[in-house]
Amino acid sequence: MTQSRPLLEVKSLSVTFPSEAGPVEAVRGLSYHVMPGEVMGIAGESGSGKSVSSLAVMGLLPRRARIAGSVRFEGEELLGRGDKDLSAIRGGKIAMIFQDPLSALTPVYTVGDQIAEAVQVHQTVSKQAAMDRAVELLNLAGIPNPRERARAFPHEFSGGMRQRAMIAMAIANNPKLIIADEPTTALDVTIQAQILDLLLKAKEATGAAIVMITHDLGVMAGFADRLTIMYAGKPLEAGAVDDLYYRPRMPYTIGLLGSIPRIDAAPGTPLTPIEGSPPSLTNLPPGCPFTPRCPMRVDLCRKVEPDLVRMNGSGEEHFAACHRSAEIEQKNLTGLDIFPAPADRTRDFSRVSDVPVLRITGLKKHYPMVRGAILHRRIGTIQAVDGIDLEIREGETLGLVGESGCGKTTTIMEILSLARPSSGAIEVLDRKTAGMTAQDRFQIRREISVVFQDPMASIDPRMPISDILAEPMLTHGVPADERARRIGELLKMVGLRPEHTSRYPQEFSGGQRQRICIARALALKPKLLVLDEPVSALDVSIRAGVLNLLEELKAELGLSYLFVAHDLSVVRHISDRVAVMYLGRIVETGEVNCVFNHPAHPYTQALLSAAPLPDPRKERARRRIILKGDLPSPANPPSGCRFRTRCQKFADELNDQQRQKCIDVDPVLCEHGNAGSDHRAACHYAEGGKLN
């Protein structure tokens, strides 16, 4: 560091909001500092106070919020200053990247105009010079055809492009500090890698320090220099990244790290979920707020809230707030020592039958593109799914992965509709959907069920849990006494109490609501569950419990899963086989260990290299393959190999003759590896690349 004085210094920051139930203490005594050029991470579950603390630093909280403490930037106090003074700092010296770029950008102005406006507010330049600067920034952010795209509106950008435009706007005035609030949440792993790479480039270009707010400890491992873990509005552990990942001294930090599935772990390795939910921030009881969820709690924990104290044997700035941190250090306790974990569920392929429950052959789903309000004229075709083959056997989990827009959701909607496909065949439990009558479809819906991504949007908030669970059984004529008995069984099965049947969905946490959705999906004892991003909306600690539950239910009930996700670590943890999808096609498929340990297709290699690991040393040593640009339009896919426009091997390694083959010839799935192997890849020049 070139300066000894912190760029940003936050001391004893507290934020309280009034509410009908009483004051909500969103942030309670948060202190941290950021040195020039440093990356400081703030992590924790939803509701821990991460985002509220950053908004307090920026002066963007509503007037009803009561703020106390100190926020000093370059030695000057920011709290208490008027909006006019802060406006001169915001966007100039301090910039912020928000979680949802579509909400942060104004929909009625072009992206270029909004970036140019940010330049003109803080610099005395002409309108043309500001627009030229906007184009330059979009080019720096990796937006293709930046001058043309500067004239586009936010809704015409993809999610990743919008986030890159937000970063371009943030660095427009060479700020000294960038606050990034969950900038990679809900993005595909390849786009996430692009955003993190761009943030590091922006840091190098401007010399800015970064405050990175996230719930993803995998992202933090290779990105941040120091890290603060927050819980219930207060920091519970803080220090250098290596100290927190390799020498954690607070049970909450240890639990978070143990609850993360890893792409370098063996499939089925049990996770260590943190049971329960974070407490309400209204009228917090005395003692440590983590006490109800902590397996190491003692009477002192219930009475006295511990302060952050320096840890011996670690870095100079390693602090933890736990009465038993010294014991954790002396005994070198790990997640498996502290948190009860399910029994080892190493893959047992003898449980997987040869009998298929789902078989898809040559499935295509194309949508017409039309123009004209009255006289419709067809102008093209969207090739959402373009000839795929899939098979799921009894007792097996097939993971379907790929970027947004690759056709995953279209595929599962075609399966769930049980209708005649426009091309190809879908066979469910030896019954082809093409020949099914309405009565056939009604009967077979007992055997196939679905769990969606958003549990709150999947169930009726006006109905109590008993009615929600009873609804599918009522539809299929299950008698009343059997329904009542089955509801109790289902709640026990997913780890909820039968006496909660009179409660409504809003009275449960996010993880509990997803358990209710799983219980509802199991109501009719199906043989196949379609799981569409079932844990992507959950915090990591809650996600671990749901994944363990799905594993246990599969073993107990002999279920088969089609698990759709973009999180590769989750897919590796739960799947037996995996299919990788790109632009409507399956480009690689096989047993999960083969595909993850020896990916053959360049796209799979890029996906795996972009997936973060919660291990700082491994993250720093890994070689990432950063895909350029976004997924091509399915309305106009490239000729030959659809991946060639983003393929690093095509650009850097192949000769002209080999490139021409990729341009002219569409590759098909071919056997890869040992003869008779289930591992197949659709690449003319596939090779086994070992995961770093």
Side-chain angles (χ1 to χ4, degrees):
M1 301 296 176
T2 58
Q3 280 180 251
S4 58
R5 188 180 72 177
L7 180 69
L8 176 70
E9 194 169 14
V10 177
K11 285 187 177 180
S12 303
L13 178 66
S14 297
V15 180
T16 305
F17 295 97
S19 74
E20 293 181 359
V24 178
E25 299 178 86
V27 180
R28 304 181 303 120
L30 173 64
S31 297
Y32 66 87
H33 67 273
V34 184
M35 302 300 290
E38 183 181 44
V39 179
M40 167 72 187
I42 302 178
E45 293 175 280
S46 300
S48 63
K50 309 184 303 293
S51 296
V52 172
S53 67
S54 68
L55 293 173
V57 170
M58 293 292 290
L60 294 175
L61 288 174
R63 291 184 179 180
R64 61 190 178 89
R66 297 199 303 272
I67 308 171
S70 173
V71 176
R72 301 182 74 86
F73 178 72
E74 294 188 316
E76 296 184 10
E77 182 62 55
L78 298 185
L79 292 188
R81 297 178 69 167
D83 191 61
K84 185 176 181 180
D85 287 344
L86 290 174
S87 294
I89 298 173
R90 289 194 296 252
K93 294 183 178 180
I94 305 177
M96 187 161 186
I97 302 165
F98 294 96
Q99 179 175 346
D100 184 1
L102 189 58
S103 299
L105 293 167
T106 305
V108 294
Y109 290 100
T110 66
V111 171
D113 283 340
Q114 294 182 65
I115 298 174
E117 180 187 27
V119 173
Q120 286 188 291
V121 165
H122 295 279
Q123 300 179 38
T124 307
V125 296
S126 66
K127 187 174 182 179
Q128 184 58 48
M131 183 56 72
D132 290 342
R133 173 65 172 158
V135 172
E136 178 189 340
L137 289 163
L138 288 174
N139 183 54
L140 180 66
I143 302 290
N145 305 314
R147 191 163 294 279
E148 178 184 337
R149 299 302 291 176
R151 296 193 291 269
F153 290 89
H155 69 271
E156 298 178 275
F157 277 34
S158 67
M161 288 175 67
R162 283 194 291 266
Q163 196 62 284
R164 277 177 268 171
M166 282 293 299
I167 294 173
M169 188 183 298
I171 65 174
N173 298 295
N174 297 319
K176 295 184 178 180
L177 176 66
I178 298 172
I179 299 176
D181 185 9
E182 300 273 13
T184 60
T185 297
L187 296 180
D188 291 315
V189 66
T190 52
I191 305 301
Q192 175 179 280
Q194 291 176 16
I195 297 301
L196 293 174
D197 184 60
L198 178 58
L199 279 170
L200 289 176
K201 287 179 179 176
K203 174 177 174 288
E204 292 170 5
T206 63
I210 297 176
V211 175
M212 179 78 164
I213 297 167
T214 185
H215 66 270
D216 191 338
L217 288 175
V219 167
M220 288 295 197
F223 189 77
D225 299 311
R226 289 187 301 110
L227 183 60
T228 293
I229 305 292
M230 289 188 69
Y231 185 82
K234 197 166 185 179
L236 293 189
E237 190 160 6
V241 163
D242 282 26
D243 281 332
L244 266 69
Y245 281 78
Y246 300 128
R247 294 171 290 278
R249 299 292 179 251
M250 170 64 197
Y252 180 58
T253 308
I254 294 170
L256 284 180
L257 291 169
S259 66
I260 303 173
R262 300 174 54 140
I263 59 169
D264 60 343
T269 302
L271 303 175
T272 55
I274 304 174
E275 300 297 337
S277 303
S280 168
L281 297 177
T282 304
N283 299 319
L284 275 170
C288 175
F290 186 60
T291 299
R293 305 174 71 189
C294 183
M296 293 188 70
R297 60 184 176 266
V298 292
D299 287 341
L300 180 62
C301 300
R302 298 183 180 92
K303 298 172 183 176
V304 180
E305 185 168 14
D307 295 322
L308 274 176
V309 295
R310 190 186 302 274
M311 296 290 99
N312 297 321
S314 295
E316 291 183 3
E317 294 192 358
H318 187 186
F319 297 85
C322 179
H323 295 301
R324 304 188 67 182
S325 57
E327 182 182 346
I328 293 172
E329 183 175 351
Q330 290 166 5
K331 296 181 178 179
N332 198 25
L333 300 180
T334 66
L336 292 176
D337 296 322
I338 297 173
F339 291 89
D344 185 18
R345 294 183 305 278
T346 304
R347 290 283 182 265
D348 180 5
F349 287 101
S350 65
R351 296 179 64 87
V352 178
S353 164
D354 290 332
V355 179
V357 295
L358 174 71
R359 181 183 286 135
I360 298 173
T361 309
L363 177 66
K364 292 185 179 182
K365 183 61 178 180
H366 294 178
Y367 297 95
M369 294 175 63
V370 296
R371 179 177 292 169
I374 299 174
L375 297 175
H376 296 298
R377 180 166 56 90
R378 185 164 183 162
I379 59 171
T381 301
I382 298 174
Q383 302 175 29
V385 177
D386 196 40
I388 66 168
D389 299 337
L390 288 175
E391 183 178 276
I392 304 175
R393 295 169 292 211
E394 285 183 357
E396 182 180 56
T397 298
L398 174 69
L400 183 61
V401 302
E403 296 171 280
S404 298
C406 71
K408 304 188 302 294
T409 300
T410 302
T411 300
I412 64 174
M413 294 311 292
E414 284 293 288
I415 295 168
L416 294 171
S417 69
L418 296 177
R420 179 190 295 272
S422 56
S423 181
I426 299 174
E427 203 171 325
V428 181
L429 299 172
D430 288 331
R431 300 283 304 275
K432 288 190 175 181
T433 60
M436 286 184 183
T437 64
Q439 183 62 29
D440 291 335
R441 280 193 288 273
F442 178 78
Q443 291 299 326
I444 208 164
R445 287 194 196 282
R446 297 180 66 108
E447 309 295 342
I448 181 170
S449 196
V450 61
V451 178
F452 292 104
Q453 177 176 356
D454 185 354
M456 198 59 186
S458 306
I459 49 183
D460 193 332
R462 301 166 299 177
M463 295 170 64
I465 300 307
S466 56
D467 290 351
I468 289 171
L469 297 180
E471 189 176 29
M473 294 184 280
L474 189 64
T475 301
H476 284 268
V478 176
D481 57 342
E482 188 176 341
R483 288 201 304 270
R485 179 182 56 79
R486 182 67 176 155
I487 288 169
E489 289 177 357
L490 289 168
L491 289 173
K492 288 180 181 177
M493 196 181 294
V494 298
L496 296 175
R497 296 179 180 177
E499 58 265 29
H500 290 168
T501 54
S502 60
R503 292 188 179 182
Y504 288 82
Q506 55 269 31
E507 298 178 73
F508 293 88
S509 68
Q512 289 173 323
R513 284 196 289 264
Q514 195 62 292
R515 287 171 181 264
I516 291 165
C517 290
I518 294 170
R520 187 179 190 273
L522 296 174
L524 295 168
K525 301 180 181 179
K527 294 181 179 177
L528 173 66
L529 245 61
V530 177
L531 301 156
D532 184 15
E533 301 273 10
V535 296
S536 64
L538 304 177
D539 283 315
V540 287
S541 59
I542 299 169
R543 181 191 307 173
V546 174
L547 289 173
N548 285 341
L549 171 67
L550 288 171
E551 287 278 82
E552 290 160 9
L553 291 173
K554 177 188 169 187
E556 290 173 13
L557 306 177
L559 297 169
S560 301
Y561 293 154
L562 173 57
F563 194 96
V564 180
H566 67 264
D567 189 328
L568 295 173
S569 57
V570 170
V571 170
R572 169 145 203 178
H573 174 78
I574 201 168
S575 301
D576 300 306
R577 288 189 303 117
V578 63
V580 181
M581 199 167 184
Y582 184 81
L583 210 61
R585 299 275 182 86
I586 301 296
V587 297
E588 188 162 3
T589 183
E591 192 267 316
V592 70
N593 274 333
C594 289
V595 174
F596 275 69
N597 291 340
H598 303 283
H601 197 283
Y603 179 58
T604 311
Q605 293 170 10
L607 285 178
L608 290 170
S609 80
L613 274 170
D615 189 314
R617 294 184 191 126
K618 288 187 176 181
E619 274 294 286
R620 290 192 285 262
R622 291 174 73 195
R623 182 182 69 88
R624 293 201 183 280
I625 302 171
I626 304 295
L627 295 181
K628 305 298 182 183
D630 293 306
L631 202 70
S633 169
N636 186 28
S639 63
C641 175
R642 297 186 173 199
F643 183 61
R644 65 177 173 80
T645 57
R646 303 171 74 195
C647 180
Q648 193 175 81
K649 178 181 286 189
F650 177 88
D652 301 334
E653 299 178 23
L654 303 184
N655 59 40
D656 290 343
Q657 183 179 356
Q658 291 171 324
R659 288 195 190 99
Q660 197 59 47
K661 183 177 181 180
C662 294
I663 294 170
D664 296 336
V665 182
D666 190 4
V668 296
L669 279 170
C670 295
E671 189 176 278
H672 181 78
N674 299 328
S677 167
D678 187 30
H679 191 184
R680 295 181 296 158
C683 177
H684 297 306
Y685 307 104
E687 61 183 50
K690 189 167 178 63
L691 177 65
N692 291 326

